[in-house]
Amino acid sequence: EFRKGVSVNPKNYQIYILLAQLNLRRNNLSQAIKEVDQAIAANEKFAPAHMQKAHYLSRANDTAGAIDEYRKALALDPENPIAANNLAWLLCENNTNFEEALSLARTARKKLPEEPEAAETLGWIYYKMKNYTLAADQLLFSVNNRKQPSAENYYRLGMALHAKGDKYHARQTLQKALSMNPDFPGAEEARKVLSEK
């Protein structure tokens, strides 16, 4: 049905996005990327296609490609807080250009004041920039405003609390993270902190 829709109206770029999502649900990430590429080929100024491609490339561990696509999305839609947040996160996780990441994350946080993901991105950037008090504030907001915080969410908060000197709450938070999932990325670092006297 989607293919028919494209043949009837090739300028309905949203159909390519829906086809991509359908392929993703079928665990066919490479085909999902191809569908989005068709939307971009049909209209390279269709920002949602660049957003979608960035998300898929990130899932495929093509970080450089994802960063490039988020930049394209923001060039077309500078007010998009999701693109700003996701680009900030990728820059932070790759320890690249923290100043740019901070600027993007602040923009996203301002536009998405209730979103825990935006708070977590900003908090983790603050942590990596060694501003531990601001990091802990943002990461605490993120944990407290999620329906089901993950082990990674507690881990990041625990690391910020530890770095700012709140050893008691850091210990509780890191123990909670490990009790939820003993093998999350960062678990070894959490154990190392907990082993300190």
Side-chain angles (χ1 to χ4, degrees), residues 10 29 34 42 52 91 116 122 144 173 175:
L29 185 56
K34 285 178 186 173
Q52 200 83 5
L91 293 173
L122 182 57
N144 287 341
T173 308
Q175 285 170 341

Side-chain angles (χ1 to χ4, degrees), residues 38-115:
Q38 288 190 61
I40 292 169
N43 180 2
E44 64 182 15
K45 294 188 175 177
F46 186 51
H50 291 287
M51 284 280 295
Q52 200 83 5
K53 185 173 181 182
H55 173 65
Y56 294 159
L57 290 173
S58 186
R59 287 182 67 146
N61 295 316
D62 180 356
T63 303
I67 287 172
D68 186 50
E69 289 300 321
Y70 278 127
R71 288 195 192 285
K72 287 177 183 174
L74 279 170
L76 294 165
D77 182 9
E79 300 300 309
N80 189 316
I82 306 293
N85 182 71
N86 293 357
L87 177 55
W89 181 261
L90 289 176
L91 293 173
C92 172
E93 283 295 270
N94 287 277
N95 300 313
T96 327
N97 202 336
F98 285 120
E99 290 299 330
E100 182 189 5
L102 181 62
S103 175
L104 289 163
R106 282 178 172 158
T107 298
R109 184 79 175 96
K110 189 174 181 182
K111 290 182 179 175
L112 302 169
E114 304 304 318
E115 284 298 318

Side-chain angles (χ1 to χ4, degrees), residues 150-184:
S150 69
E152 289 94 331
N153 301 142
Y154 281 110
Y155 157 73
R156 292 185 189 104
L157 173 58
M159 294 303 289
L161 290 169
H162 173 75
K164 83 165 197 166
D166 187 348
K167 308 295 184 191
Y168 175 76
H169 290 109
R171 196 167 191 80
Q172 284 187 322
T173 308
L174 292 172
Q175 285 170 341
K176 170 93 173 166
L178 288 166
S179 71
M180 291 175 73
N181 178 1
D183 299 314
F184 68 87

